[in-house]
Amino acid sequence: MSLDDEKRLAAEAAAELVESGMTLGLGTGSTVAHLLPAVARRGLTELRCVATSPATEAQARALGITVEPFDALTRLDLAIDGTDEVTPDGWLIKGGGGAHLREKIVAAAADRFVVIADSTKPVPQFTWPVPLELFAFGLASTLARLGDDVALRPDTPPSPDGGLIADYRGPGLDDPAALAARLESDPGVAAQGLFPPSLVSDLFVARGAEVEHTRFS
Ligand code: 5RP
């Protein structure tokens, strides 16, 4: 079974949680790319969806899923998204696709935030860099403050909100709460890619043909 098959199986399992009439947040990435057809196939009615990226929005619309701007809805019943890494206690690193600002806003608005993953995503300890979105205003001064541990991601366009995508490669991954607080304390950082366990309700991890479901809250 390929990793892509695992992504599809995790996505299909999570798609079963979606019900007619729900408000639904759609994440971003290659795992979510399997979620969208699985949701479309359910033939649900009166779904109201918001998308975390233009790519997800375009794919969803092409599949006949109604997507609306995220301005009028005050909360979401469910949001489903992928992850770059997940630790045993439920911390995530997200933002490999540079969409972590919108992904975090959508996750925070959801009553239930469901993470879908292939078998490479669970890790004993984080190894990925932490994605950042930096405000364009004062960018050079922000980068100077953040120091050598932060670099703009090469060949990456600004986010739909005008922020610049960067990555933090430095110490502190063994204490994600402290690192998240440190990165967020800089006024030039619009979002950082560490998502706390308090945001995560469910995790679906596919290992071969088996999908393991962990309910956190
Ligand atoms: C995008 C993300 C993605 O969810 C994360 O990068 C995982 O992507 P994939 O499903 O392609 O492995 O955070 O910003």
Side-chain angles (χ1 to χ4, degrees):
M1 178 133 323
S2 70
L3 279 186
D4 199 53
D5 287 331
E6 290 187 349
K7 289 172 197 264
R8 180 177 49 76
L9 290 175
E12 287 172 353
E16 293 299 316
L17 301 177
V18 185
E19 294 170 14
S20 289
M22 275 188 164
T23 48
L24 175 65
L26 302 170
T28 289
S30 58
T31 316
V32 168
H34 289 293
L35 173 74
L36 303 179
V39 169
R41 279 197 300 273
R42 300 275 323 276
L44 303 167
T45 55
E46 293 176 29
L47 263 191
R48 296 182 67 186
C49 297
V50 298
T52 53
S53 64
T56 293
E57 182 170 344
Q59 189 193 353
R61 284 191 201 283
L63 289 162
I65 297 172
T66 308
V67 179
E68 59 186 273
F70 196 20
D71 49 16
L73 291 171
T74 55
R75 51 169 285 283
L76 300 167
D77 294 306
L78 187 66
I80 307 176
D81 202 349
T83 190
D84 296 305
E85 291 189 328
V86 52
T87 59
D89 53 358
W91 274 92
L92 312 179
I93 284 185
K94 288 186 49 54
H100 48 290
L101 185 150
R102 290 189 174 198
E103 290 172 336
K104 198 176 272 186
I105 291 171
V106 163
D111 292 344
R112 191 170 178 188
F113 176 51
V114 175
V115 177
I116 49 180
D118 63 66
S119 60
T120 64
K121 305 299 178 64
V123 291
Q125 269 199 327
F126 286 139
T127 63
W128 263 60
V130 180
L132 303 176
E133 180 163 337
L134 307 178
F135 290 111
F137 182 82
L139 179 65
S141 70
T142 300
L143 286 169
R145 258 191 323 276
L146 292 172
D148 292 342
D149 292 336
V150 172
L152 290 176
R153 196 178 290 177
D155 305 319
T156 303
S159 82
D161 303 296
L164 285 305
I165 304 303
D167 291 293
Y168 169 86
R169 290 183 174 78
L173 282 174
D174 54 336
D175 187 350
L179 180 58
R182 181 154 71 83
L183 293 170
E184 279 165 12
S185 72
D186 192 292
V189 175
Q192 53 79 27
L194 290 162
F195 285 41
S198 57
L199 270 185
V200 181
S201 308
D202 299 70
L203 173 65
F204 286 88
V205 178
R207 298 179 194 279
E210 299 294 312
V211 180
E212 195 180 280
H213 179 194
T214 308
R215 183 92 202 235
F216 289 98
S217 58

